[in-house]
Amino acid sequence: MLPDSMKVIEISQPGGPEVLKPAMRATPVPGSGEILIKVAAAGVNRPDLVQRSGHYPPPPGASDLPGLEAAGTVAALGEGVERWKIGDAVTALLPGGGYAEYAVTPALHALPVPQGLSMVEAAGLCETFYTVWGNLFMRGGLRAGETVLIHGGASGIGTTAIMLAAAKGARVLTTAGSDEKCAACVRLGASRAINYRTEDFVEVAKRETGGKGVDIVLDIVGGDYVTRNLTALALEGRLVQIAFMGGVRSVTIDMAQIMMKRLTVTGSTLRPQSVAQKAAIARQLEEHVWPLLGGGGLRPVIDSTYPLDQAAEAHRRMESSAHTGKLILEVGER
Ligand SMILES: NC(=O)c1ccc[n+]([C@@H]2O[C@H](COP(=O)([O-])OP(=O)(O)OC[C@H]3O[C@@H](n4cnc5c(N)ncnc54)[C@H](OP(=O)(O)O)[C@@H]3O)[C@@H](O)[C@H]2O)c1
């Protein structure tokens, strides 16, 4: 029997981490094509912080509760769902609502918990794996033997991108803000990590590639990185922009660089994409990436875990940028 109400963490008003407050809400009911997940653990992502501060409203129809990914067991099935049965262990991309004991999502956005991974590890997979696969591989076309420069290598996105690119046979250069974070990136599979506070990433990228430049840049910083990224790219290179953590979204670029080097500039955001578009990423992940996880040798990097009640502490840690990898909320009984 499902309870009528559940414990959640809600955004009581736009503001700092202290606005995240425990509350009770009605347990959601899965609609057609959706599943209800009894959440064991939920991932914390940068976009949750932006939503909390009032600058990233949930899309129409999505829960107003934060939380874009979770792992747990299937607790109820909406009409027409055939892939899953009650009790299946799943990890899923959510339209929102992960900071709660139960969450609904399209059945097509759930994947099995990979063998050998805990619920905590599984909870930290979907937001970054969907984003990295969709951008670096589907959009950017990264191939084995190419060199990729990944900015923010110690972030949730960055740790995932390093692991996946290295596992698929690419050579990985990455940037991070401390020597300690750089060392963690090398342990994950980067062949060279650049401390951007003490080294110029364009110079290092050129040197490491014999002057040729890198084939792809995955960037979360934007601003003055854009021009430097274009300079760091090789002929036929691709710049994939997925965030502008530097805060600057408008830049002036030299179009001649794009023409002379035949560059491609692209990017995307995950959340506004249609159910079908996200499902297409999920199918590719299941085929090309899930076999590599757990028993396959890859595991997500978990920085720290917090009980659901302490979501504000998790947000404070993420805001400090002291972490490497993922922050996870433990929701179920431990
Ligand atoms: N396009 C999409 O679909 C999509 C999906 C998910 C996330 N994102 C975006 O991707 C970015 C990373 O997300 P995440 O969850 O991986 O974040 P995260 O784990 O909190 O990592 C962010 C890291 O970026 C680095 N950084 C670089 N420039 C920074 C700046 N100006 N201010 C603060 N930190 C800076 C920091 O590490 P250092 O100390 O090494 O600098 C920080 O730890 C976010 O902007 C997020 O919104 C985009």
Side-chain angles (χ1 to χ4, degrees):
M1 266 291 278
L2 291 170
D4 294 335
S5 62
M6 60 173 187
K7 192 160 87 175
V8 305
I9 295 293
E10 63 182 16
I11 300 170
S12 55
Q13 61 183 79
E18 69 285 352
V19 305
L20 294 175
K21 296 265 165 60
M24 295 302 289
R25 291 275 186 99
T27 305
V29 176
S32 176
E34 293 181 335
I35 55 172
L36 178 72
I37 299 171
K38 184 176 192 317
V39 177
V44 175
N45 292 280
R46 260 304 149 156
D48 305 349
L49 277 58
V50 187
Q51 181 178 339
R52 190 207 69 219
S53 64
H55 300 296
Y56 190 32
S63 167
D64 65 319
L65 300 172
L68 299 172
E69 60 183 352
T73 48
V74 175
L77 302 172
E79 204 186 303
V81 174
E82 288 175 1
R83 164 90 199 255
W84 305 109
K85 57 183 191 321
I86 307 287
D88 280 349
V90 292
T91 175
L93 190 71
L94 307 176
Y99 293 20
E101 289 180 309
Y102 291 88
V104 285
T105 198
L108 294 170
H109 296 175
L111 289 157
V113 170
Q115 263 200 341
L117 291 195
S118 67
M119 283 290 184
V120 163
E121 290 173 310
L125 292 175
C126 282
E127 178 68 12
T128 63
F129 276 72
Y130 273 69
T131 300
V132 169
W133 188 262
N135 283 288
L136 203 50
F137 292 87
M138 292 173 78
R139 195 163 286 280
L142 180 64
R143 294 181 291 272
E146 290 192 317
T147 302
V148 58
L149 172 62
I150 294 163
H151 287 301
S155 65
I157 293 280
T159 51
T160 298
I162 293 171
M163 275 191 299
L164 272 185
K168 293 295 181 186
R171 178 166 174 242
V172 178
L173 312 182
T174 191
T175 60
S178 71
D179 290 345
E180 200 186 0
K181 285 186 176 186
C182 283
C185 292
V186 169
R187 284 195 297 276
L188 271 177
S191 64
R192 175 76 155 84
I194 304 157
N195 181 340
Y196 64 80
R197 297 184 200 279
T198 56
E199 292 181 287
D200 180 297
F201 71 77
V202 179
E203 270 174 31
V204 178
K206 291 276 188 188
R207 205 164 55 231
E208 289 285 326
T209 54
K212 174 176 158 277
V214 298
D215 300 297
I216 301 199
V217 177
L218 181 69
D219 186 30
I220 59 170
V221 180
D224 70 348
Y225 270 37
V226 178
T227 294
R228 297 167 70 199
N229 287 336
L230 296 178
T231 307
L233 280 170
L235 278 181
E236 308 277 353
R238 292 87 82 196
L239 169 59
V240 186
Q241 194 73 45
I242 57 167
F244 35 88
M245 293 204 57
V248 179
R249 47 171 104 186
S250 301
V251 293
T252 301
I253 55 172
D254 178 2
M255 297 297 285
Q257 279 225 82
I258 295 182
M259 290 158 60
M260 298 309 289
K261 291 205 283 184
R262 302 184 293 277
L263 305 179
T264 300
V265 178
T266 183
S268 72
T269 56
L270 183 61
R271 204 175 186 189
Q273 292 185 46
S274 69
V275 169
Q277 285 166 324
K278 292 181 214 176
I281 301 174
R283 296 292 73 80
Q284 289 211 10
L285 281 173
E286 190 162 12
E287 185 181 343
H288 300 294
V289 177
W290 252 229
L292 305 176
L293 287 162
L298 291 192
R299 340 181 62 89
V301 179
I302 308 298
D303 176 84
S304 38
T305 62
Y306 299 81
L308 180 62
D309 283 353
Q310 290 174 24
E313 281 310 308
H315 277 216
R316 285 190 187 98
R317 176 147 178 89
M318 185 165 269
E319 271 173 0
S320 78
S321 284
H323 63 291
T324 294
K326 299 286 302 188
L327 308 182
I328 304 291
L329 303 175
E330 291 191 88
V331 181
E333 283 146 36
R334 280 187 285 167

